[in-house]
Amino acid sequence: PAAATPVPVPSASATPSPSATSAPPTPVLPPTLSPSVPASAAPCRGRPSGDRIIALLRGSAGVLPRDVRVTVATGPLCAEGWQYTVLTVTGHEELQVVTRGESGTPRLVTAGTDVCGVEVRTVAPAGIRTLACDGTPGA
C-alpha cells in the first residue's frame, strides 16, 4: 500500500506547464530589446513617444532650440515611471535624456552627455540607472 501513496505523476505533468508558460516571453523579449538594454527597462510603446520627449526639451525645458534637427536614436525606454531616451542632434553630440512621471506628461529629470546625476543614481529604477550611468549611449 505504501507504493501506491507517492503521486509524482501530477508534479511531473505540472512541470511542463510552467516551462511552457515561461518559454514564450523569452523569444518575445529579445527582438524588442537590444542586447545592451537591461531587462528592467523596456520600450515605452509610444507612451511617451520620442516626439513627446523632443517637444518637452524644445518647450518649457528650453534645452533644444527649435531650429536644430533632432531624431530619436534610442528609446524612449521605460522602467517604473521613468524614461530614458537618446537623441541625435545635428551638429552636436548625442543627447541623453532622463524623464519621469505619467507617460502623457513626463517631467525632465536631466539631459546632456552625462546624465548620471544624483537623482538618477539615488532614485531611478535599476534599468534606467544602468542605462544612464553604465550604458553606452545609442548602442
Side-chain angles (χ1 to χ4, degrees), residues 9-54:
V9 177
S11 64
S13 66
T15 304
S17 180
S19 66
T21 54
S22 63
T26 305
V28 173
L29 288 178
T32 59
L33 296 176
S34 71
S36 66
V37 177
S40 56
C44 296
R45 295 186 170 87
R47 293 184 175 163
S49 66
D51 289 342
R52 179 72 186 95
I53 301 296
I54 292 169

PDB file of all heavy atoms in Angstrom, residues 9-54:
ATOM      1  N   VAL A   9       3.278  11.663 -10.518  1.00  0.00           N
ATOM      2  CA  VAL A   9       2.718  11.886 -11.849  1.00  0.00           C
ATOM      3  C   VAL A   9       2.133  13.294 -11.996  1.00  0.00           C
ATOM      4  O   VAL A   9       2.447  13.991 -12.951  1.00  0.00           O
ATOM      5  CB  VAL A   9       1.685  10.784 -12.211  1.00  0.00           C
ATOM      6  CG1 VAL A   9       1.052  11.055 -13.554  1.00  0.00           C
ATOM      7  CG2 VAL A   9       2.356   9.424 -12.168  1.00  0.00           C
ATOM      8  N   PRO A  10       1.324  13.808 -11.067  1.00  0.00           N
ATOM      9  CA  PRO A  10       0.818  15.179 -11.229  1.00  0.00           C
ATOM     10  C   PRO A  10       1.939  16.228 -11.240  1.00  0.00           C
ATOM     11  O   PRO A  10       1.916  17.145 -12.021  1.00  0.00           O
ATOM     12  CB  PRO A  10      -0.100  15.382 -10.023  1.00  0.00           C
ATOM     13  CG  PRO A  10      -0.521  13.998  -9.643  1.00  0.00           C
ATOM     14  CD  PRO A  10       0.659  13.126  -9.973  1.00  0.00           C
ATOM     15  N   SER A  11       2.948  16.083 -10.368  1.00  0.00           N
ATOM     16  CA  SER A  11       4.020  17.075 -10.401  1.00  0.00           C
ATOM     17  C   SER A  11       4.850  16.940 -11.678  1.00  0.00           C
ATOM     18  O   SER A  11       5.365  17.924 -12.173  1.00  0.00           O
ATOM     19  CB  SER A  11       4.885  17.016  -9.140  1.00  0.00           C
ATOM     20  OG  SER A  11       5.551  15.782  -9.060  1.00  0.00           O
ATOM     21  N   ALA A  12       4.946  15.744 -12.223  1.00  0.00           N
ATOM     22  CA  ALA A  12       5.645  15.583 -13.494  1.00  0.00           C
ATOM     23  C   ALA A  12       4.849  16.249 -14.625  1.00  0.00           C
ATOM     24  O   ALA A  12       5.406  16.863 -15.509  1.00  0.00           O
ATOM     25  CB  ALA A  12       5.864  14.104 -13.799  1.00  0.00           C
ATOM     26  N   SER A  13       3.521  16.137 -14.575  1.00  0.00           N
ATOM     27  CA  SER A  13       2.713  16.779 -15.607  1.00  0.00           C
ATOM     28  C   SER A  13       2.622  18.285 -15.369  1.00  0.00           C
ATOM     29  O   SER A  13       2.402  19.045 -16.279  1.00  0.00           O
ATOM     30  CB  SER A  13       1.312  16.150 -15.671  1.00  0.00           C
ATOM     31  OG  SER A  13       0.609  16.432 -14.473  1.00  0.00           O
ATOM     32  N   ALA A  14       2.817  18.721 -14.122  1.00  0.00           N
ATOM     33  CA  ALA A  14       2.790  20.160 -13.826  1.00  0.00           C
ATOM     34  C   ALA A  14       4.099  20.827 -14.254  1.00  0.00           C
ATOM     35  O   ALA A  14       4.122  22.006 -14.539  1.00  0.00           O
ATOM     36  CB  ALA A  14       2.540  20.383 -12.341  1.00  0.00           C
ATOM     37  N   THR A  15       5.188  20.075 -14.293  1.00  0.00           N
ATOM     38  CA  THR A  15       6.480  20.655 -14.667  1.00  0.00           C
ATOM     39  C   THR A  15       6.489  21.200 -16.095  1.00  0.00           C
ATOM     40  O   THR A  15       6.930  22.316 -16.307  1.00  0.00           O
ATOM     41  CB  THR A  15       7.618  19.618 -14.462  1.00  0.00           C
ATOM     42  OG1 THR A  15       7.572  19.176 -13.109  1.00  0.00           O
ATOM     43  CG2 THR A  15       8.967  20.224 -14.771  1.00  0.00           C
ATOM     44  N   PRO A  16       5.967  20.461 -17.095  1.00  0.00           N
ATOM     45  CA  PRO A  16       5.956  21.050 -18.441  1.00  0.00           C
ATOM     46  C   PRO A  16       5.095  22.308 -18.536  1.00  0.00           C
ATOM     47  O   PRO A  16       5.377  23.196 -19.303  1.00  0.00           O
ATOM     48  CB  PRO A  16       5.367  19.941 -19.323  1.00  0.00           C
ATOM     49  CG  PRO A  16       5.585  18.683 -18.552  1.00  0.00           C
ATOM     50  CD  PRO A  16       5.541  19.075 -17.099  1.00  0.00           C
ATOM     51  N   SER A  17       4.058  22.397 -17.716  1.00  0.00           N
ATOM     52  CA  SER A  17       3.174  23.558 -17.775  1.00  0.00           C
ATOM     53  C   SER A  17       3.896  24.865 -17.425  1.00  0.00           C
ATOM     54  O   SER A  17       3.840  25.807 -18.192  1.00  0.00           O
ATOM     55  CB  SER A  17       1.964  23.333 -16.868  1.00  0.00           C
ATOM     56  OG  SER A  17       1.120  24.443 -16.923  1.00  0.00           O
ATOM     57  N   PRO A  18       4.618  24.974 -16.292  1.00  0.00           N
ATOM     58  CA  PRO A  18       5.348  26.223 -16.029  1.00  0.00           C
ATOM     59  C   PRO A  18       6.408  26.533 -17.081  1.00  0.00           C
ATOM     60  O   PRO A  18       6.581  27.668 -17.467  1.00  0.00           O
ATOM     61  CB  PRO A  18       5.990  25.988 -14.662  1.00  0.00           C
ATOM     62  CG  PRO A  18       5.157  24.932 -14.017  1.00  0.00           C
ATOM     63  CD  PRO A  18       4.654  24.082 -15.150  1.00  0.00           C
ATOM     64  N   SER A  19       7.110  25.503 -17.551  1.00  0.00           N
ATOM     65  CA  SER A  19       8.125  25.795 -18.567  1.00  0.00           C
ATOM     66  C   SER A  19       7.465  26.238 -19.873  1.00  0.00           C
ATOM     67  O   SER A  19       8.007  27.045 -20.599  1.00  0.00           O
ATOM     68  CB  SER A  19       9.036  24.580 -18.794  1.00  0.00           C
ATOM     69  OG  SER A  19       8.292  23.511 -19.368  1.00  0.00           O
ATOM     70  N   ALA A  20       6.268  25.748 -20.132  1.00  0.00           N
ATOM     71  CA  ALA A  20       5.559  26.188 -21.336  1.00  0.00           C
ATOM     72  C   ALA A  20       5.107  27.638 -21.191  1.00  0.00           C
ATOM     73  O   ALA A  20       5.136  28.394 -22.147  1.00  0.00           O
ATOM     74  CB  ALA A  20       4.361  25.280 -21.602  1.00  0.00           C
ATOM     75  N   THR A  21       4.715  28.049 -19.976  1.00  0.00           N
ATOM     76  CA  THR A  21       4.280  29.433 -19.796  1.00  0.00           C
ATOM     77  C   THR A  21       5.461  30.389 -19.694  1.00  0.00           C
ATOM     78  O   THR A  21       5.349  31.530 -20.068  1.00  0.00           O
ATOM     79  CB  THR A  21       3.375  29.582 -18.546  1.00  0.00           C
ATOM     80  OG1 THR A  21       4.068  29.036 -17.431  1.00  0.00           O
ATOM     81  CG2 THR A  21       2.038  28.913 -18.744  1.00  0.00           C
ATOM     82  N   SER A  22       6.604  29.927 -19.201  1.00  0.00           N
ATOM     83  CA  SER A  22       7.753  30.831 -19.107  1.00  0.00           C
ATOM     84  C   SER A  22       8.549  30.870 -20.412  1.00  0.00           C
ATOM     85  O   SER A  22       9.297  31.793 -20.646  1.00  0.00           O
ATOM     86  CB  SER A  22       8.657  30.442 -17.936  1.00  0.00           C
ATOM     87  OG  SER A  22       9.179  29.153 -18.145  1.00  0.00           O
ATOM     88  N   ALA A  23       8.392  29.884 -21.266  1.00  0.00           N
ATOM     89  CA  ALA A  23       9.147  29.866 -22.524  1.00  0.00           C
ATOM     90  C   ALA A  23       8.707  30.945 -23.519  1.00  0.00           C
ATOM     91  O   ALA A  23       9.551  31.593 -24.109  1.00  0.00           O
ATOM     92  CB  ALA A  23       9.061  28.478 -23.166  1.00  0.00           C
ATOM     93  N   PRO A  24       7.404  31.215 -23.736  1.00  0.00           N
ATOM     94  CA  PRO A  24       7.026  32.218 -24.730  1.00  0.00           C
ATOM     95  C   PRO A  24       7.592  33.624 -24.489  1.00  0.00           C
ATOM     96  O   PRO A  24       8.051  34.246 -25.418  1.00  0.00           O
ATOM     97  CB  PRO A  24       5.499  32.216 -24.688  1.00  0.00           C
ATOM     98  CG  PRO A  24       5.147  30.848 -24.221  1.00  0.00           C
ATOM     99  CD  PRO A  24       6.249  30.463 -23.263  1.00  0.00           C
ATOM    100  N   PRO A  25       7.632  34.158 -23.247  1.00  0.00           N
ATOM    101  CA  PRO A  25       8.194  35.506 -23.088  1.00  0.00           C
ATOM    102  C   PRO A  25       9.659  35.607 -23.507  1.00  0.00           C
ATOM    103  O   PRO A  25      10.090  36.629 -23.995  1.00  0.00           O
ATOM    104  CB  PRO A  25       8.052  35.784 -21.585  1.00  0.00           C
ATOM    105  CG  PRO A  25       6.944  34.885 -21.137  1.00  0.00           C
ATOM    106  CD  PRO A  25       7.038  33.671 -22.010  1.00  0.00           C
ATOM    107  N   THR A  26      10.436  34.538 -23.342  1.00  0.00           N
ATOM    108  CA  THR A  26      11.850  34.604 -23.705  1.00  0.00           C
ATOM    109  C   THR A  26      12.035  34.904 -25.188  1.00  0.00           C
ATOM    110  O   THR A  26      12.749  35.836 -25.528  1.00  0.00           O
ATOM    111  CB  THR A  26      12.573  33.302 -23.285  1.00  0.00           C
ATOM    112  OG1 THR A  26      12.338  33.108 -21.899  1.00  0.00           O
ATOM    113  CG2 THR A  26      14.057  33.402 -23.548  1.00  0.00           C
ATOM    114  N   PRO A  27      11.381  34.191 -26.115  1.00  0.00           N
ATOM    115  CA  PRO A  27      11.549  34.550 -27.528  1.00  0.00           C
ATOM    116  C   PRO A  27      10.952  35.914 -27.869  1.00  0.00           C
ATOM    117  O   PRO A  27      11.397  36.558 -28.783  1.00  0.00           O
ATOM    118  CB  PRO A  27      10.796  33.448 -28.280  1.00  0.00           C
ATOM    119  CG  PRO A  27      10.631  32.333 -27.309  1.00  0.00           C
ATOM    120  CD  PRO A  27      10.663  32.946 -25.944  1.00  0.00           C
ATOM    121  N   VAL A  28       9.951  36.358 -27.124  1.00  0.00           N
ATOM    122  CA  VAL A  28       9.300  37.633 -27.432  1.00  0.00           C
ATOM    123  C   VAL A  28      10.191  38.816 -27.045  1.00  0.00           C
ATOM    124  O   VAL A  28      10.256  39.792 -27.757  1.00  0.00           O
ATOM    125  CB  VAL A  28       7.933  37.725 -26.719  1.00  0.00           C
ATOM    126  CG1 VAL A  28       7.325  39.102 -26.885  1.00  0.00           C
ATOM    127  CG2 VAL A  28       6.995  36.661 -27.279  1.00  0.00           C
ATOM    128  N   LEU A  29      10.892  38.758 -25.914  1.00  0.00           N
ATOM    129  CA  LEU A  29      11.662  39.901 -25.425  1.00  0.00           C
ATOM    130  C   LEU A  29      12.897  40.262 -26.259  1.00  0.00           C
ATOM    131  O   LEU A  29      13.050  41.410 -26.613  1.00  0.00           O
ATOM    132  CB  LEU A  29      12.076  39.686 -23.966  1.00  0.00           C
ATOM    133  CG  LEU A  29      10.954  39.791 -22.941  1.00  0.00           C
ATOM    134  CD1 LEU A  29      11.488  39.513 -21.550  1.00  0.00           C
ATOM    135  CD2 LEU A  29      10.304  41.168 -22.971  1.00  0.00           C
ATOM    136  N   PRO A  30      13.783  39.339 -26.603  1.00  0.00           N
ATOM    137  CA  PRO A  30      14.992  39.754 -27.317  1.00  0.00           C
ATOM    138  C   PRO A  30      14.782  40.541 -28.603  1.00  0.00           C
ATOM    139  O   PRO A  30      15.486  41.506 -28.824  1.00  0.00           O
ATOM    140  CB  PRO A  30      15.728  38.434 -27.573  1.00  0.00           C
ATOM    141  CG  PRO A  30      15.280  37.558 -26.453  1.00  0.00           C
ATOM    142  CD  PRO A  30      13.844  37.953 -26.194  1.00  0.00           C
ATOM    143  N   PRO A  31      13.793  40.231 -29.456  1.00  0.00           N
ATOM    144  CA  PRO A  31      13.626  41.054 -30.659  1.00  0.00           C
ATOM    145  C   PRO A  31      13.247  42.506 -30.363  1.00  0.00           C
ATOM    146  O   PRO A  31      13.585  43.389 -31.115  1.00  0.00           O
ATOM    147  CB  PRO A  31      12.501  40.351 -31.422  1.00  0.00           C
ATOM    148  CG  PRO A  31      12.463  38.967 -30.892  1.00  0.00           C
ATOM    149  CD  PRO A  31      12.938  39.058 -29.470  1.00  0.00           C
ATOM    150  N   THR A  32      12.546  42.770 -29.232  1.00  0.00           N
ATOM    151  CA  THR A  32      12.132  44.132 -28.940  1.00  0.00           C
ATOM    152  C   THR A  32      13.196  44.909 -28.170  1.00  0.00           C
ATOM    153  O   THR A  32      13.148  46.120 -28.110  1.00  0.00           O
ATOM    154  CB  THR A  32      10.813  44.147 -28.131  1.00  0.00           C
ATOM    155  OG1 THR A  32      11.015  43.431 -26.912  1.00  0.00           O
ATOM    156  CG2 THR A  32       9.671  43.546 -28.919  1.00  0.00           C
ATOM    157  N   LEU A  33      14.151  44.222 -27.573  1.00  0.00           N
ATOM    158  CA  LEU A  33      15.197  44.889 -26.804  1.00  0.00           C
ATOM    159  C   LEU A  33      16.550  44.638 -27.458  1.00  0.00           C
ATOM    160  O   LEU A  33      16.841  43.531 -27.874  1.00  0.00           O
ATOM    161  CB  LEU A  33      15.254  44.336 -25.377  1.00  0.00           C
ATOM    162  CG  LEU A  33      14.027  44.550 -24.494  1.00  0.00           C
ATOM    163  CD1 LEU A  33      14.238  43.842 -23.174  1.00  0.00           C
ATOM    164  CD2 LEU A  33      13.784  46.020 -24.266  1.00  0.00           C
ATOM    165  N   SER A  34      17.384  45.657 -27.501  1.00  0.00           N
ATOM    166  CA  SER A  34      18.733  45.435 -27.992  1.00  0.00           C
ATOM    167  C   SER A  34      19.518  44.748 -26.875  1.00  0.00           C
ATOM    168  O   SER A  34      19.157  44.856 -25.709  1.00  0.00           O
ATOM    169  CB  SER A  34      19.384  46.763 -28.386  1.00  0.00           C
ATOM    170  OG  SER A  34      19.680  47.523 -27.237  1.00  0.00           O
ATOM    171  N   PRO A  35      20.605  44.057 -27.188  1.00  0.00           N
ATOM    172  CA  PRO A  35      21.336  43.311 -26.161  1.00  0.00           C
ATOM    173  C   PRO A  35      21.843  44.191 -25.021  1.00  0.00           C
ATOM    174  O   PRO A  35      22.023  43.729 -23.928  1.00  0.00           O
ATOM    175  CB  PRO A  35      22.508  42.700 -26.927  1.00  0.00           C
ATOM    176  CG  PRO A  35      22.099  42.718 -28.351  1.00  0.00           C
ATOM    177  CD  PRO A  35      21.140  43.862 -28.501  1.00  0.00           C
ATOM    178  N   SER A  36      22.066  45.484 -25.259  1.00  0.00           N
ATOM    179  CA  SER A  36      22.613  46.346 -24.217  1.00  0.00           C
ATOM    180  C   SER A  36      21.545  46.873 -23.266  1.00  0.00           C
ATOM    181  O   SER A  36      21.857  47.518 -22.288  1.00  0.00           O
ATOM    182  CB  SER A  36      23.355  47.519 -24.854  1.00  0.00           C
ATOM    183  OG  SER A  36      22.440  48.344 -25.538  1.00  0.00           O
ATOM    184  N   VAL A  37      20.277  46.600 -23.535  1.00  0.00           N
ATOM    185  CA  VAL A  37      19.203  47.132 -22.699  1.00  0.00           C
ATOM    186  C   VAL A  37      18.888  46.141 -21.586  1.00  0.00           C
ATOM    187  O   VAL A  37      18.572  44.997 -21.860  1.00  0.00           O
ATOM    188  CB  VAL A  37      17.933  47.399 -23.542  1.00  0.00           C
ATOM    189  CG1 VAL A  37      16.799  47.877 -22.655  1.00  0.00           C
ATOM    190  CG2 VAL A  37      18.236  48.405 -24.620  1.00  0.00           C
ATOM    191  N   PRO A  38      18.982  46.578 -20.333  1.00  0.00           N
ATOM    192  CA  PRO A  38      18.651  45.674 -19.238  1.00  0.00           C
ATOM    193  C   PRO A  38      17.184  45.264 -19.319  1.00  0.00           C
ATOM    194  O   PRO A  38      16.354  46.026 -19.787  1.00  0.00           O
ATOM    195  CB  PRO A  38      18.884  46.519 -17.974  1.00  0.00           C
ATOM    196  CG  PRO A  38      19.631  47.715 -18.412  1.00  0.00           C
ATOM    197  CD  PRO A  38      19.391  47.891 -19.877  1.00  0.00           C
ATOM    198  N   ALA A  39      16.885  44.069 -18.823  1.00  0.00           N
ATOM    199  CA  ALA A  39      15.520  43.565 -18.888  1.00  0.00           C
ATOM    200  C   ALA A  39      14.537  44.447 -18.130  1.00  0.00           C
ATOM    201  O   ALA A  39      13.361  44.447 -18.417  1.00  0.00           O
ATOM    202  CB  ALA A  39      15.473  42.139 -18.347  1.00  0.00           C
ATOM    203  N   SER A  40      15.029  45.227 -17.173  1.00  0.00           N
ATOM    204  CA  SER A  40      14.116  46.042 -16.379  1.00  0.00           C
ATOM    205  C   SER A  40      13.737  47.365 -17.055  1.00  0.00           C
ATOM    206  O   SER A  40      12.896  48.077 -16.563  1.00  0.00           O
ATOM    207  CB  SER A  40      14.725  46.319 -15.004  1.00  0.00           C
ATOM    208  OG  SER A  40      15.985  46.912 -15.139  1.00  0.00           O
ATOM    209  N   ALA A  41      14.360  47.701 -18.166  1.00  0.00           N
ATOM    210  CA  ALA A  41      13.950  48.873 -18.948  1.00  0.00           C
ATOM    211  C   ALA A  41      13.494  48.363 -20.311  1.00  0.00           C
ATOM    212  O   ALA A  41      14.233  47.698 -21.009  1.00  0.00           O
ATOM    213  CB  ALA A  41      15.098  49.862 -19.122  1.00  0.00           C
ATOM    214  N   ALA A  42      12.259  48.667 -20.661  1.00  0.00           N
ATOM    215  CA  ALA A  42      11.673  48.136 -21.888  1.00  0.00           C
ATOM    216  C   ALA A  42      11.149  49.281 -22.750  1.00  0.00           C
ATOM    217  O   ALA A  42      10.893  50.373 -22.245  1.00  0.00           O
ATOM    218  CB  ALA A  42      10.531  47.183 -21.541  1.00  0.00           C
ATOM    219  N   PRO A  43      10.985  49.042 -24.045  1.00  0.00           N
ATOM    220  CA  PRO A  43      10.416  50.092 -24.894  1.00  0.00           C
ATOM    221  C   PRO A  43       9.090  50.598 -24.336  1.00  0.00           C
ATOM    222  O   PRO A  43       8.283  49.811 -23.848  1.00  0.00           O
ATOM    223  CB  PRO A  43      10.215  49.386 -26.239  1.00  0.00           C
ATOM    224  CG  PRO A  43      11.222  48.281 -26.237  1.00  0.00           C
ATOM    225  CD  PRO A  43      11.322  47.832 -24.796  1.00  0.00           C
ATOM    226  N   CYS A  44       8.894  51.895 -24.401  1.00  0.00           N
ATOM    227  CA  CYS A  44       7.703  52.511 -23.813  1.00  0.00           C
ATOM    228  C   CYS A  44       6.445  52.294 -24.648  1.00  0.00           C
ATOM    229  O   CYS A  44       5.358  52.653 -24.217  1.00  0.00           O
ATOM    230  CB  CYS A  44       7.928  54.013 -23.624  1.00  0.00           C
ATOM    231  SG  CYS A  44       9.247  54.396 -22.464  1.00  0.00           S
ATOM    232  N   ARG A  45       6.574  51.755 -25.843  1.00  0.00           N
ATOM    233  CA  ARG A  45       5.435  51.501 -26.732  1.00  0.00           C
ATOM    234  C   ARG A  45       4.632  52.771 -27.001  1.00  0.00           C
ATOM    235  O   ARG A  45       3.416  52.781 -26.912  1.00  0.00           O
ATOM    236  CB  ARG A  45       4.544  50.408 -26.150  1.00  0.00           C
ATOM    237  CG  ARG A  45       5.232  49.062 -26.080  1.00  0.00           C
ATOM    238  CD  ARG A  45       4.278  47.980 -25.625  1.00  0.00           C
ATOM    239  NE  ARG A  45       4.856  46.663 -25.769  1.00  0.00           N
ATOM    240  CZ  ARG A  45       5.608  46.078 -24.851  1.00  0.00           C
ATOM    241  NH1 ARG A  45       5.883  46.688 -23.736  1.00  0.00           N
ATOM    242  NH2 ARG A  45       6.107  44.879 -25.062  1.00  0.00           N
ATOM    243  N   GLY A  46       5.351  53.859 -27.267  1.00  0.00           N
ATOM    244  CA  GLY A  46       4.683  55.092 -27.654  1.00  0.00           C
ATOM    245  C   GLY A  46       4.179  55.950 -26.509  1.00  0.00           C
ATOM    246  O   GLY A  46       3.552  56.972 -26.737  1.00  0.00           O
ATOM    247  N   ARG A  47       4.441  55.570 -25.268  1.00  0.00           N
ATOM    248  CA  ARG A  47       3.984  56.350 -24.118  1.00  0.00           C
ATOM    249  C   ARG A  47       5.120  56.580 -23.169  1.00  0.00           C
ATOM    250  O   ARG A  47       5.381  55.703 -22.355  1.00  0.00           O
ATOM    251  CB  ARG A  47       2.863  55.615 -23.400  1.00  0.00           C
ATOM    252  CG  ARG A  47       1.622  55.513 -24.213  1.00  0.00           C
ATOM    253  CD  ARG A  47       0.600  54.866 -23.353  1.00  0.00           C
ATOM    254  NE  ARG A  47      -0.684  54.824 -23.989  1.00  0.00           N
ATOM    255  CZ  ARG A  47      -1.643  54.031 -23.593  1.00  0.00           C
ATOM    256  NH1 ARG A  47      -1.459  53.246 -22.573  1.00  0.00           N
ATOM    257  NH2 ARG A  47      -2.805  54.042 -24.196  1.00  0.00           N
ATOM    258  N   PRO A  48       5.819  57.645 -23.168  1.00  0.00           N
ATOM    259  CA  PRO A  48       5.677  58.747 -24.117  1.00  0.00           C
ATOM    260  C   PRO A  48       6.392  58.426 -25.426  1.00  0.00           C
ATOM    261  O   PRO A  48       7.255  57.553 -25.467  1.00  0.00           O
ATOM    262  CB  PRO A  48       6.366  59.916 -23.404  1.00  0.00           C
ATOM    263  CG  PRO A  48       7.438  59.245 -22.593  1.00  0.00           C
ATOM    264  CD  PRO A  48       6.845  57.920 -22.158  1.00  0.00           C
ATOM    265  N   SER A  49       6.062  59.150 -26.440  1.00  0.00           N
ATOM    266  CA  SER A  49       6.719  58.967 -27.731  1.00  0.00           C
ATOM    267  C   SER A  49       8.019  59.775 -27.749  1.00  0.00           C
ATOM    268  O   SER A  49       8.210  60.683 -26.937  1.00  0.00           O
ATOM    269  CB  SER A  49       5.810  59.451 -28.857  1.00  0.00           C
ATOM    270  OG  SER A  49       5.640  60.859 -28.757  1.00  0.00           O
ATOM    271  N   GLY A  50       8.893  59.451 -28.682  1.00  0.00           N
ATOM    272  CA  GLY A  50      10.114  60.231 -28.857  1.00  0.00           C
ATOM    273  C   GLY A  50       9.792  61.676 -29.169  1.00  0.00           C
ATOM    274  O   GLY A  50      10.465  62.601 -28.692  1.00  0.00           O
ATOM    275  N   ASP A  51       8.738  61.904 -29.958  1.00  0.00           N
ATOM    276  CA  ASP A  51       8.322  63.272 -30.285  1.00  0.00           C
ATOM    277  C   ASP A  51       7.910  64.036 -29.033  1.00  0.00           C
ATOM    278  O   ASP A  51       8.155  65.228 -28.913  1.00  0.00           O
ATOM    279  CB  ASP A  51       7.165  63.262 -31.293  1.00  0.00           C
ATOM    280  CG  ASP A  51       7.614  62.814 -32.677  1.00  0.00           C
ATOM    281  OD1 ASP A  51       8.831  62.840 -32.950  1.00  0.00           O
ATOM    282  OD2 ASP A  51       6.740  62.443 -33.478  1.00  0.00           O
ATOM    283  N   ARG A  52       7.278  63.344 -28.083  1.00  0.00           N
ATOM    284  CA  ARG A  52       6.854  63.990 -26.832  1.00  0.00           C
ATOM    285  C   ARG A  52       8.084  64.431 -26.029  1.00  0.00           C
ATOM    286  O   ARG A  52       8.107  65.502 -25.439  1.00  0.00           O
ATOM    287  CB  ARG A  52       5.987  63.021 -26.024  1.00  0.00           C
ATOM    288  CG  ARG A  52       5.514  63.570 -24.699  1.00  0.00           C
ATOM    289  CD  ARG A  52       4.445  64.642 -24.898  1.00  0.00           C
ATOM    290  NE  ARG A  52       4.094  65.277 -23.657  1.00  0.00           N
ATOM    291  CZ  ARG A  52       4.625  66.423 -23.197  1.00  0.00           C
ATOM    292  NH1 ARG A  52       5.532  67.056 -23.884  1.00  0.00           N
ATOM    293  NH2 ARG A  52       4.255  66.913 -22.051  1.00  0.00           N
ATOM    294  N   ILE A  53       9.115  63.589 -26.017  1.00  0.00           N
ATOM    295  CA  ILE A  53      10.360  63.923 -25.308  1.00  0.00           C
ATOM    296  C   ILE A  53      11.022  65.133 -25.979  1.00  0.00           C
ATOM    297  O   ILE A  53      11.448  66.076 -25.305  1.00  0.00           O
ATOM    298  CB  ILE A  53      11.318  62.714 -25.274  1.00  0.00           C
ATOM    299  CG1 ILE A  53      10.675  61.511 -24.569  1.00  0.00           C
ATOM    300  CG2 ILE A  53      12.652  63.091 -24.646  1.00  0.00           C
ATOM    301  CD1 ILE A  53      10.344  61.704 -23.110  1.00  0.00           C
ATOM    302  N   ILE A  54      11.079  65.124 -27.309  1.00  0.00           N
ATOM    303  CA  ILE A  54      11.677  66.247 -28.051  1.00  0.00           C
ATOM    304  C   ILE A  54      10.880  67.525 -27.792  1.00  0.00           C
ATOM    305  O   ILE A  54      11.455  68.588 -27.553  1.00  0.00           O
ATOM    306  CB  ILE A  54      11.750  65.915 -29.560  1.00  0.00           C
ATOM    307  CG1 ILE A  54      12.760  64.784 -29.791  1.00  0.00           C
ATOM    308  CG2 ILE A  54      12.129  67.161 -30.372  1.00  0.00           C
ATOM    309  CD1 ILE A  54      12.720  64.185 -31.186  1.00  0.00           C
TER     310      ILE A  54
END
